[in-house]
């Protein structure tokens, strides 16, 4: 997927096989949904105009998730390219990482953190019953943190334009979303967190409260003018605390 991914397992048992299975899920998702691979299912589907006839169950699931979020956000979240074809980037990373995290759980692991390019799925504790500490980077600097969140059994995802440029488009206007500098969502699972983070970024400041009614536990966003916007069950940790 072109992003760094890691798995931190704190269970006492050997987790090598479970981690390999989880990474295999991520590799399979990349092979199926990469827009940069001409042999991916996404590329093949788009080459025939986006026709869903005969597509895999996984492809239909991702489209359904994206379609539901597009409807819930009144079109701010988009899943189609302006020139036609499917644009599923706002769905796939969180969905794939969530599926990989479920593999760890199915293997009996209870304490782990899966990090997919800064979006994380956590379960259990890093030790002593403590919550996991998830750093949210500042939209102004890759070396500075906006906050460190305490999270138990859930997903955290951030959307912004500070790394890839203005790649998130408000589907209602077709123009790049510029009302927020970053949007971080905490939810019960990473699929929901990732979908909502992208939708909030596309909607703008009004999306912060909107997300709480659509599956977010908490939202932390930075407006275009630098104002910090936070709602929901936000628990902050000291930035220097490990875990």
């Amino acid at each position: 997927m072109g992003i760094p991914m890691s798995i931190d397992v704190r269970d006492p048992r050997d987790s090598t096989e479970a981690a390999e299975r989880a990474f295999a899920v991520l590799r399979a998702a990349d092979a199926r949904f990469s827009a940069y691979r001409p042999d991916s299912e996404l590329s093949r589907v788009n080459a025939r105009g986006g026709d869903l006839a005969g597509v895999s169950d996984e492809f239909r699931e991702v489209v359904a998730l994206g379609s539901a979020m597009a409807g819930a956000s009144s079109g701010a979240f988009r899943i189609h390219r302006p020139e036609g074809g499917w644009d599923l980037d706002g769905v796939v990373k969180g969905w794939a990482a969530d599926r990989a995290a479920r593999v760890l759980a199915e293997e009996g692991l209870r304490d782990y953190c899966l990090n997919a390019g800064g979006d994380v799925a956590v379960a259990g504790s890093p030790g002593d019953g403590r919550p996991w500490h998830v750093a949210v980077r500042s939209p102004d600097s890759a070396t500075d943190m906006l906050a460190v969140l305490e999270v138990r059994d859930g997903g955290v995802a951030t959307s912004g334009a500070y790394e890839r440029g203005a790649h998130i488009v408000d589907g209602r206007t077709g123009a790049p979303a510029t009302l927020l500098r970053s949007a971080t969502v905490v939810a019960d699972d990473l699929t929901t967190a990732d979908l909502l983070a992208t939708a909030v970024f596309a909607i703008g400041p009004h999306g912060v409260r909107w997300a709480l009614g659509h599956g977010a536990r908490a939202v932390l966003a930075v407006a275009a003018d630098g104002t910090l916007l936070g709602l929901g069950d936000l628990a902050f940790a000291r930035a220097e605390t490990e875990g």
Side-chain angles (χ1 to χ4, degrees):
M1 295 183 182
I3 55 176
M5 296 192 177
S6 64
I7 298 173
D8 179 358
V9 178
R10 301 296 178 93
D11 289 60
R13 52 171 285 195
D14 182 8
S15 60
T16 303
E17 185 176 344
E20 284 299 325
R21 286 191 59 205
F23 280 123
V25 168
L26 295 169
R27 288 191 291 268
D30 183 57
R32 185 179 301 281
F33 291 103
S34 174
Y36 303 100
R37 299 176 59 154
D39 61 337
S40 71
E41 184 175 16
L42 176 67
S43 294
R44 296 196 306 270
V45 171
N46 281 343
R48 63 173 189 256
D51 183 6
L52 293 178
V55 300
S56 64
D57 291 342
E58 290 83 358
F59 201 97
R60 289 188 184 278
E61 181 180 346
V62 167
V63 168
L65 287 166
S67 297
M69 187 55 64
S73 64
S74 299
F77 184 98
R78 72 169 193 177
I79 55 173
H80 290 97
R81 300 172 181 173
E83 68 276 13
W86 297 101
D87 180 359
L88 302 176
D89 286 352
V91 186
V92 171
K93 184 174 75 166
W95 172 85
D98 211 16
R99 284 167 62 93
R102 289 204 298 269
V103 167
L104 301 178
E106 290 166 0
E107 289 290 322
L109 299 177
R110 296 182 299 174
D111 303 305
Y112 57 81
C113 173
L114 185 149
N115 187 326
D119 295 343
V120 302
V122 301
S125 167
D128 301 323
R130 295 178 288 117
W132 288 93
H133 292 165
V134 180
V136 180
R137 66 151 284 185
S138 166
D140 299 319
S141 170
T143 60
D144 294 330
M145 285 182 286
L146 180 67
V148 179
L149 306 179
E150 293 186 340
V151 184
R152 299 178 185 272
D153 298 320
V156 183
T158 298
S159 289
Y162 44 78
E163 288 188 347
R164 296 174 57 194
H167 68 288
I168 299 176
V169 171
D170 181 346
R172 299 167 298 185
T173 65
T178 59
L179 297 178
L180 293 176
R181 293 163 68 182
S182 69
T184 299
V185 172
V186 183
D188 289 343
D189 59 84
L190 186 51
T191 300
T192 301
D194 192 33
L195 284 162
L196 287 174
T198 303
V200 170
F201 192 85
I203 293 170
H206 294 298
V208 174
R209 186 172 297 278
W210 166 87
L212 293 181
H214 291 81
R217 290 186 196 168
V219 184
L220 183 66
V222 180
D225 63 2
T227 301
L228 191 63
L229 310 172
L231 287 174
D233 186 17
L234 284 167
F236 296 96
R238 291 174 60 85
E240 64 266 31
T241 303
E242 295 182 357

